[in-house]
Amino acid sequence: MQERYTPADIEKKWQLFWEEQSTFVAEMSSPLPKFYLLEMFPYPSGRIHMGHVRNYSIGDVVARFKRLRGFNVLHPMGWDAFGMPAENAAIQNNIHPAKWTFENIANMRTQLKSMGFSYDWSRELATCDPDYYRWEQLIFLQMFEKGLAYKKSSFVNWCPSCQTVLANEQVEDDGCWRCDSKVEQKELEQWFFRITAYAEELLEATNHLPGWPETVLTMQRNWIGRSIGCEIDFPVAGRAQAIRVFTTRQDTLFGATFMSLAPEHPLALELTVPERRAEVEAFIAKVKTQDKIKRSSDDFEKEGVFTGSYCINPVTAHKMPIYLGNFVLMDYGTGAVMAVPTHDQRDFEFARKFDLPMVVVIEPQGVLLNPESMTEAWTGPGHLVNSGEFDGLANDAAKEAIADVLERRKIGKKTVNYRLRDWGVSRQRYWGTPIPIIYCDDCGMVPVPEKDLPVILPTDVPFTGEGGSPLAKSAKFVEVLCPKCGKAARRDTDTFDTFVESSWYFARYCSPQATHAPVDKAQVDYWMPVDQYIGGVEHAVMHLLYARFFCKVMRDLGFLAADEPFTNLLTQGMVCKETQSCPTHGWLYPEEVVEGQCLKCGTPALAGRTEKMSKSKKNVVDPDKLIAQYGADTARLFSLFAAPPEKHLEWNDQSVDGCYRFLNRVWRLVFEHRHLVAAGGFEQDGPARNLRRLTHRTIRKVTEDIDGRFHFNTAIAAIMELVNGISAFEGKTTCPAVMREAVETVVRLLAPFVPHVTEELWSHLGHAEGLEAAGWPVWDAEAIVDDEKVIVVQVNGKMRGRITVAADLGDEEVKVQALAEANVARALAGQTIRNVIVVPNRLVNVVIG
RNA sequence: GCCGAAGUGGUGGAAUUGGUAGACACGCUAGGUUCAGGGUCUAGUGGCUGUAGGGUCGUGCGAGUUCGAGUCUCGCCUUCGGCACCA
């Protein structure tokens, strides 16, 4: 054994060992209970970053721990390989997206392997592989048959920079989630997945996911946005038509004095009287050009225009003028709102502006509302007035009563409305899964027959970067014979949103080589659902909602049995680092700052905020450099020790040093004791008993911290304490058996965190078989038992002393000794003792005064 | 505006059920080893106060419940995240 710890040599050695032994290949045939552990797979950008290191280090601890604890663990890895950066690289550097992607994958695979993660590499998949996306095309065809995939023309979010459509979830602050460009509205024919058909189940099931963080569930519930209310028909005056509105406030129906329609509402122009036509058309045109940022900002003024037509309030029979309002959204509810100015703030502002009538219909307790003097709408509770037969009812009760009456009279019905909208999946891009649909002039839209799958993405297309998808320009791809009639026809040239691939990859991992179906039923039902899923919280809505939706769709198509894909979810925090900048050279990489000065000009570097590591701010640390300098084990240990997984991790070079020093210390500890033979049994008294107690306490603590709690930082701290305890024990006495056990325990407990160095140390401790064979240590309940206990003594809640007594000493005797403690006795001198509280085995509190 | 999470030494963070606040680590200080540096080992390290035993203050701010509050309740401040004209 070498005296010095040299990570480079030993890490390579053990990575090779695991690969040769197929240590991490998962088999369904195992008699052990299954455990499916999954981390979100990466986009092959070319290099792994510290976020990956953290995510996959967390996952690897759990995977290795579960293996040691006797589970049959599935821990796969693959590549979310379709997406825009590959296409951009093609345009900018004239390299084919496929070549670029596979080179990146090769590089990142090497990097991940150098971290020593326990993946079953035999299951590796890349979503850009036809063997993967062909099954996605098949699922799509079956969804199409069932009406779960459909095409419609609609206004869509368009990113002018990416030249493609974005789903609502992919628009952040009116900017593109990927490139931040301002999103525009564009009318296009698009494919949609009917996720709204699953809105209720997706929402309801959030109540049965106890293993998910509450924040993520709340975000998903908000996103689905269920609201209960009524649809009510308002007849148009002088016509046979009616306008249908959605409202959650049917209790205010008697106060509805006008109607607001979305400018895009189909009846908008139809209801406009000729003399107002020019004004209305101008208004509609204006709203369409207003970008969403302004339209949705707080201070944006409510604007509107009168159509000249009226409708009838079905319960009061009053005429209500019909307006178009810029604040009415066509894609929520019915695109029409019954306006109750007294009890809705927007309607109030609108009514004031256009001098429209107001009627108070809810009277709060102790407040008299007067339409003339009101300065804002009353949206709180109260009792109904001016509401005919419903007067006097509490407005809560009136909601039910009015809804019932509307249903009986057939002018309205109770409905549930969702904020969630169908998922638009067409993208005008090349590097994605082709949509298997053919357009024939005679037969219309024809699905590609299953036997003709996959529709393969052609490789010989031009990348100009100018307007539209390269696929549309490839005659070889577009021109096809209609599968129905055999005449010349055209393929769909759009590709799927890349979130489609990541919506079912977890199922494919169960049987990645299946050649007859997307998944092998027996395999997928054995492994699914994922027992523990780990990834960034930034996917709380998009990816995690789509994946849940797909799981349910695949269930209903008969591919698998699971209702939900992920039983437990851990969302890890971001990796952050202080930014540094120079007044003349802008953001600086860490290596561009030497002794606090800009390397280029010598100006003192300015320390900025601590933010998420990003290339644009240059506050990044390259995992490769970290591995080269300290080894993978140190990189893993730091990312696990510096913060609990769900919190942000703040980068600190010195703390990395500390982790490296700790591993060196463990190395020296084993080096010194490598020949120690566990002879003579365990001494039952004195320092030996104390060390053995510490050893077994540490086993218990580390086990409990990892299992379910994921408190890796405190688990590692406990192991450090054991190491400190061993050092303190040295020289006091010698009990080889206890010492040997303590040293071996350090190695075994560290194994899930730093697998290379521990395997190496384990072998130097004379074990022919690896740590895998040793399993996870078990604590001896007897060894943990205390001989003594420390009792804290308080006087009026303030700590005044502590006493050490025999562990089995009774409460009464503890009390006597507590009162006799010197410092306590001094505090009590001349005082009247009112009460003495004894908390068994913990503390005594003397109440005086 | 609404919803949610967080706020603890110089720093990252502990404190699992209301019971010793600051585990563990970084940093810093002193000393040993070393020609020196690095490494390593030992001791110390929340503020104020006292020669010392000790005292006193202290978990964003203010109240409250309790023998006892970082932890529970109420109000406020700050930061971060999500949603945001959703009828």
Side-chain angles (χ1 to χ4, degrees):
Chain A
M1 183 185 182
Q2 282 188 314
E3 193 172 349
R4 277 183 55 82
Y5 168 48
T6 49
D9 303 338
I10 62 177
E11 289 180 358
K12 267 276 140 351
K13 169 180 159 189
W14 290 102
Q15 284 156 17
L16 219 68
F17 173 81
W18 294 321
E19 194 154 338
E20 281 165 3
Q21 303 284 310
S22 299
T23 309
F24 306 118
V25 172
E27 300 287 353
M28 195 174 103
S29 55
S30 164
L32 301 170
K34 74 99 182 178
F35 191 87
Y36 185 177
L37 177 88
L38 185 65
E39 300 119 46
M40 292 178 184
F41 66 168
Y43 176 79
S45 58
R47 310 191 62 75
I48 62 169
H49 52 67
M50 286 310 300
H52 293 128
V53 168
R54 187 179 193 199
N55 189 181
Y56 302 149
S57 294
I58 292 166
D60 206 46
V61 174
V62 179
R64 287 178 180 269
F65 175 76
K66 286 288 178 185
R67 292 177 64 79
L68 290 167
R69 295 268 278 173
F71 286 86
N72 182 29
V73 173
L74 172 58
H75 189 206
M77 180 44 70
W79 313 97
D80 188 12
F82 273 137
M84 291 245 318
E87 219 162 321
N88 292 338
I91 294 161
Q92 282 157 25
N93 306 323
N94 199 28
I95 176 170
H96 195 277
K99 186 164 186 283
W100 185 86
T101 302
F102 282 112
E103 282 175 8
N104 285 348
I105 287 175
N107 189 39
M108 288 174 76
R109 187 193 298 115
T110 305
Q111 288 187 300
L112 290 183
K113 286 190 173 176
S114 75
M115 284 297 298
F117 297 129
S118 63
Y119 299 126
D120 178 354
W121 283 106
S122 74
R123 292 171 186 262
E124 179 183 358
L125 60 80
T127 58
C128 63
D129 186 336
D131 282 339
Y132 183 83
Y133 68 70
R134 69 175 298 165
W135 301 114
E136 192 167 302
Q137 292 173 335
L138 180 98
I139 296 168
F140 167 81
L141 291 176
Q142 298 198 7
M143 288 173 76
F144 177 64
E145 243 170 72
K146 286 216 159 194
L148 289 170
Y150 66 95
K151 205 171 191 192
K152 74 171 179 194
S153 172
S154 68
F155 282 95
V156 292
N157 306 303
W158 177 263
C159 172
S161 157
C162 303
Q163 288 272 308
T164 193
V165 160
L166 300 171
N168 288 319
E169 294 86 337
Q170 293 160 2
V171 180
E172 295 170 351
D173 289 329
D174 290 296
C176 171
W177 71 291
R178 200 174 254 292
C179 72
D180 251 1
S181 308
K182 203 162 84 180
V183 169
E184 296 169 357
Q185 296 301 302
K186 190 168 175 172
E187 190 164 16
L188 276 180
E189 278 269 305
Q190 295 287 302
W191 283 100
F192 285 85
F193 285 161
R194 208 178 293 280
I195 192 171
T196 53
Y198 287 82
E200 190 55 45
E201 191 188 343
L202 286 167
L203 179 69
E204 210 284 322
T206 59
N207 300 320
H208 310 288
L209 286 171
W212 281 45
E214 199 54 41
T215 48
V216 174
L217 294 175
T218 304
M219 281 163 75
Q220 293 213 348
R221 288 183 194 124
N222 289 343
W223 190 264
I224 295 168
R226 178 184 141 116
S227 49
I228 308 160
C230 273
E231 281 184 355
I232 307 172
D233 287 334
F234 287 69
V236 178
R239 288 170 178 251
Q241 278 169 315
I243 297 170
R244 178 165 292 183
V245 304
F246 172 76
T247 181
T248 58
R249 294 299 307 270
Q250 63 272 17
D251 52 326
T252 64
L253 178 57
F254 284 80
T257 52
F258 63 100
M259 174 71 67
S260 305
L261 300 185
E264 304 91 341
H265 197 281
L267 291 177
L269 277 176
E270 205 180 318
L271 292 177
T272 302
V273 295
E275 58 271 29
R276 303 203 62 85
R277 194 164 186 94
E279 198 187 334
V280 168
E281 278 178 350
F283 177 77
I284 293 173
K286 184 181 164 197
V287 172
K288 271 188 183 168
T289 61
Q290 282 169 344
D291 58 76
K292 257 186 143 181
I293 298 176
K294 277 203 194 133
R295 212 176 147 183
S296 61
S297 74
D298 258 355
D299 48 329
F300 193 64
E301 194 169 347
K302 315 247 167 306
E303 287 185 52
V305 65
F306 181 41
T307 60
S309 294
Y310 294 85
C311 62
I312 308 295
N313 184 317
V315 289
T316 64
H318 286 125
K319 272 175 82 176
M320 300 162 59
I322 302 171
Y323 278 74
L324 305 188
N326 63 347
F327 61 91
V328 184
L329 308 173
M330 191 56 223
D331 49 9
Y332 183 78
T334 62
V337 183
M338 68 172 205
V340 185
T342 45
H343 303 293
D344 180 283
Q345 188 57 27
R346 285 157 310 177
D347 296 342
F348 181 86
E349 286 169 32
F350 199 85
R352 278 282 187 259
K353 182 164 177 170
F354 291 95
D355 199 21
L356 293 160
M358 295 189 183
V359 179
V360 170
V361 290
I362 290 178
E363 199 94 275
Q365 189 107 48
V367 186
L368 205 69
L369 297 179
N370 180 350
E372 264 109 71
S373 59
M374 283 169 80
T375 53
E376 57 179 7
W378 174 263
T379 54
H383 287 82
L384 266 65
V385 292
N386 297 323
S387 297
E389 61 189 288
F390 303 102
D391 279 358
L393 274 180
N395 71 305
D396 271 356
K399 275 186 188 173
E400 279 301 308
I402 291 178
D404 287 342
V405 168
L406 291 175
E407 285 196 340
R408 219 174 305 134
R409 291 203 228 147
K410 296 196 174 9
I411 49 177
K413 62 170 197 278
K414 290 181 207 170
T415 50
V416 174
N417 200 42
Y418 299 93
R419 205 190 78 106
L420 179 72
R421 274 155 248 161
D422 280 340
W423 172 17
V425 293
S426 300
R427 296 290 180 274
Q428 293 67 46
R429 308 300 311 180
Y430 163 74
W431 193 232
T433 302
I435 300 177
I437 290 287
I438 291 166
Y439 301 98
C440 170
D441 288 337
D442 293 344
C443 311
M445 200 155 66
V446 183
V448 173
E450 287 189 14
K451 66 174 173 52
D452 295 342
L453 295 182
V455 175
I456 292 187
L457 199 57
T459 49
D460 52 344
V461 297
F463 295 98
T464 59
E466 281 154 26
S469 163
L471 271 188
K473 294 173 203 146
S474 166
K476 243 167 79 184
F477 177 78
V478 175
E479 289 166 14
V480 67
L481 298 181
C482 171
K484 256 191 194 163
C485 68
K487 275 194 231 150
R490 305 171 312 282
R491 285 192 192 280
D492 198 315
T493 57
D494 285 351
T495 51
F496 285 133
D497 179 3
T498 55
F499 276 105
V500 180
E501 283 86 64
S502 54
S503 293
W504 70 285
Y505 75 111
F506 47 86
R508 181 71 183 171
Y509 275 142
C510 300
S511 52
Q513 277 95 32
T515 51
H516 56 287
V519 292
D520 177 89
K521 188 81 168 60
Q523 296 270 351
V524 78
D525 285 342
Y526 171 78
W527 290 112
M528 284 292 289
V530 173
D531 294 278
Q532 181 68 56
Y533 196 35
I534 305 172
V537 72
E538 64 273 19
H539 295 108
V541 176
M542 290 192 272
H543 162 58
L544 288 167
L545 191 64
Y546 295 149
R548 293 182 59 217
F549 163 62
F550 246 72
C551 182
K552 291 172 194 300
V553 168
M554 289 180 77
R555 174 200 64 194
D556 293 345
L557 293 174
F559 289 120
L560 48 77
D563 291 318
E564 284 286 337
F566 315 121
T567 307
N568 294 290
L569 173 69
L570 175 68
T571 49
Q572 107 251 2
M574 298 181 296
V575 181
C576 303
K577 192 180 190 313
E578 186 176 66
T579 52
Q580 290 180 297
S581 62
C582 163
T584 39
H585 297 100
W587 301 113
L588 298 173
Y589 285 110
E591 55 271 22
E592 290 175 330
V593 180
V594 177
E595 285 168 6
Q597 296 180 337
C598 172
L599 197 62
K600 291 170 189 157
C601 62
T603 316
L606 304 170
R609 292 164 48 117
T610 296
E611 293 185 65
K612 177 184 177 173
M613 280 190 182
S614 74
K615 273 189 194 145
S616 58
K617 300 256 171 75
K618 300 193 175 178
N619 58 338
V620 288
V621 172
D622 180 8
D624 271 355
K625 285 186 187 153
L626 194 63
I627 295 168
Q629 193 178 349
Y630 297 100
D633 282 335
T634 296
R636 296 168 59 122
L637 191 64
F638 169 77
S639 60
L640 295 163
F641 179 62
E646 66 280 4
K647 289 227 231 163
H648 296 326
L649 182 150
E650 203 174 309
W651 186 265
N652 183 327
D653 288 325
Q654 286 162 334
S655 188
V656 177
D657 267 329
C659 289
Y660 182 63
R661 282 201 301 246
F662 173 68
L663 293 182
N664 273 287
R665 203 171 165 207
V666 173
W667 183 275
R668 280 196 306 277
L669 182 76
V670 173
F671 181 80
E672 282 159 22
H673 297 94
R674 66 194 186 281
H675 301 307
L676 194 67
V677 179
F682 302 123
E683 275 175 31
Q684 292 303 314
D685 298 297
R689 164 113 180 129
N690 290 339
L691 179 59
R692 186 144 195 271
R693 183 182 300 114
L694 177 63
T695 300
H696 286 265
R697 282 228 167 121
T698 307
I699 296 172
R700 182 175 65 182
K701 165 102 179 127
V702 172
T703 307
E704 289 172 355
D705 276 355
I706 298 176
D707 209 6
R709 255 163 60 96
F710 304 120
H711 285 204
F712 308 126
N713 55 335
T714 54
I716 293 164
I719 302 170
M720 288 174 169
E721 283 185 79
L722 177 56
V723 172
N724 292 343
I726 294 171
S727 302
F729 173 75
E730 290 189 86
K732 273 190 190 154
T733 178
T734 49
C735 174
V738 166
M739 189 57 138
R740 172 101 194 168
E741 184 188 44
V743 171
E744 290 203 340
T745 300
V746 167
V747 174
R748 294 171 73 189
L749 292 179
L750 277 174
F753 305 100
V754 285
H756 310 91
V757 68
T758 47
E759 285 282 11
E760 182 73 14
L761 292 173
W762 190 244
S763 71
H764 287 306
L765 281 165
H767 298 280
E769 290 189 276
L771 279 161
E772 181 84 11
W776 188 250
V778 180
W779 69 87
D780 176 353
E782 195 279 324
I784 286 175
V785 172
D786 271 310
D787 303 331
E788 301 177 318
K789 57 189 177 187
V790 174
I791 305 289
V792 170
V793 189
Q794 298 180 332
V795 176
N796 279 355
K798 284 187 179 161
M799 224 266 283
R800 282 292 177 264
R802 68 189 67 172
I803 54 173
T804 304
V805 299
D808 55 358
L809 197 70
D811 287 352
E812 270 312 303
E813 186 58 25
V814 167
K815 188 167 143 184
V816 170
Q817 291 202 27
L819 293 172
E821 203 272 339
N823 204 43
V824 175
R826 187 166 49 236
L828 295 177
Q831 304 283 340
T832 313
I833 296 175
R834 304 266 178 220
N835 193 9
V836 180
I837 288 146
V838 181
V839 180
N841 303 322
R842 275 194 175 273
L843 109 171
V844 174
N845 188 12
V846 186
V847 186
I848 59 170

